[in-house]
Amino acid sequence: MHFHIVTLFPESFLSYLSTSILSRALEKKKIKVSYYNPRDFTADKHKRVDHRPYGGGPGMVLEAESVIKAIAKAKGKKRKVKIIFFTPSGVSFTNAYAEELVKKYKDVIFVCGHYEGVDARIKKIFSMDAISVGPYVLTGGELAALIVMDATTRRISGVIGKYESLEEERIASSDVYTRPEILVYKRKKYRVPKVLLSGNHKEIDAWRMDKK
Ligand code: ADE
């Protein structure tokens, strides 16, 4: 998949993309990431892209024109491309949405808003999904884009070693354990549930279902 990110802060993606499983996905060419900075598309000689809102109100608004040009550049001549606009008032992001992206799209454009938002006219020009990553307000869309990219990339085949979505549905449990078998903390012993040491996979699956 190719993620095209329209952002004023492309460098804010680098630390996560250079360390996580996403960095391996990039190396393995399972994903590709490109950045389009509205500042590079503004006609303003001071590269200014935010202005006061018409009608008054707090904060600044990201201007439409340079964002439109950045999206148009990302879109190029591609016909099938999903454009996602991040906003706390959007539809909640889910695993099902991530799965659909993986199944149906090769190119996904993320539009990361900032300040009080982006001039609403961009919604008239491009058909976009308005997506929220949770019931809280972030300072910008960059973290939201990383969340969607992460949850989507892990569903691409070959990104996570043993990944099998059915398996994930069937026996995933929130509780997992690893060495040591007996953890001692402040003289108290914490043991791994016996069933996990039993080697009986039927019982282990049943326990995991129960713990879901
Ligand atoms: N931008 C600011 N807050 C956001 C949120 N919760 N989800 C998506 N984009 C946002």
Side-chain angles (χ1 to χ4, degrees), residues 21-40:
I21 283 179
L22 294 197
S23 78
R24 274 200 286 148
L26 279 163
E27 265 168 39
K28 289 201 267 177
K29 300 202 166 27
K30 298 281 177 190
I31 59 167
K32 191 174 169 189
V33 181
S34 306
Y35 303 96
Y36 308 82
N37 191 335
R39 265 187 227 292
D40 296 333

Side-chain angles (χ1 to χ4, degrees), residues 86-88 131-141 144:
F86 293 109
T87 165
I131 294 293
S132 161
V133 295
Y136 40 76
V137 181
L138 301 166
T139 56

Side-chain angles (χ1 to χ4, degrees), residues 29-205:
K29 300 202 166 27
K30 298 281 177 190
I31 59 167
K32 191 174 169 189
V33 181
S34 306
Y35 303 96
Y36 308 82
N37 191 335
R39 265 187 227 292
D40 296 333
F41 296 89
T42 178
D44 186 280
K45 66 170 185 252
H46 302 295
K47 303 247 172 230
R48 182 153 185 193
V49 290
D50 61 313
H51 309 285
R52 283 201 300 273
Y54 280 120
M60 304 297 269
V61 175
L62 192 50
E63 68 179 23
E65 211 173 350
S66 51
V67 175
I68 289 165
K69 285 183 183 160
I71 297 173
K73 175 81 179 178
K75 200 161 178 254
K77 290 196 165 55
K78 293 180 268 302
R79 268 193 279 144
K80 194 172 162 80
V81 41
K82 170 67 90 185
I83 309 180
I84 296 172
F85 170 67
F86 293 109
T87 165
S89 58
V91 173
S92 292
F93 177 63
T94 60
N95 265 336
Y97 187 89
E99 190 62 32
E100 192 167 305
L101 288 182
V102 173
K103 277 202 187 126
K104 295 195 184 154
Y105 296 91
K106 257 191 74 206
D107 290 280
V108 179
I109 301 175
F110 294 139
V111 182
C112 304
H114 251 274
Y115 313 117
E116 286 304 309
V118 183
D119 186 310
R121 286 168 290 187
I122 65 162
K123 289 187 260 181
K124 300 224 159 121
I125 291 165
F126 297 105
S127 145
M128 303 188 287
D129 287 1
I131 294 293
S132 161
V133 295
Y136 40 76
V137 181
L138 301 166
T139 56
E142 283 74 14
L143 278 174
L146 275 173
I147 286 170
V148 172
M149 227 187 326
D150 188 295
T152 303
T153 299
R154 70 182 286 283
R155 310 186 82 86
I156 296 173
S157 115
V159 167
I160 287 180
K162 288 183 205 153
Y163 181 73
E164 237 184 87
S165 65
L166 256 182
E167 204 66 358
E168 184 189 52
E169 286 305 309
R170 195 164 58 84
I171 56 164
S173 154
S174 52
D175 289 353
V176 291
Y177 300 85
T178 186
R179 290 158 188 239
E181 202 177 307
I182 301 168
L183 171 73
V184 183
Y185 181 68
K186 292 190 177 169
R187 288 197 278 160
K188 211 176 148 194
K189 288 181 179 170
Y190 300 83
R191 291 171 191 278
V192 172
K194 270 210 180 78
V195 60
L196 297 180
L197 310 171
S198 70
N200 183 332
H201 287 282
K202 246 186 165 160
E203 276 181 24
I204 291 172
D205 280 4

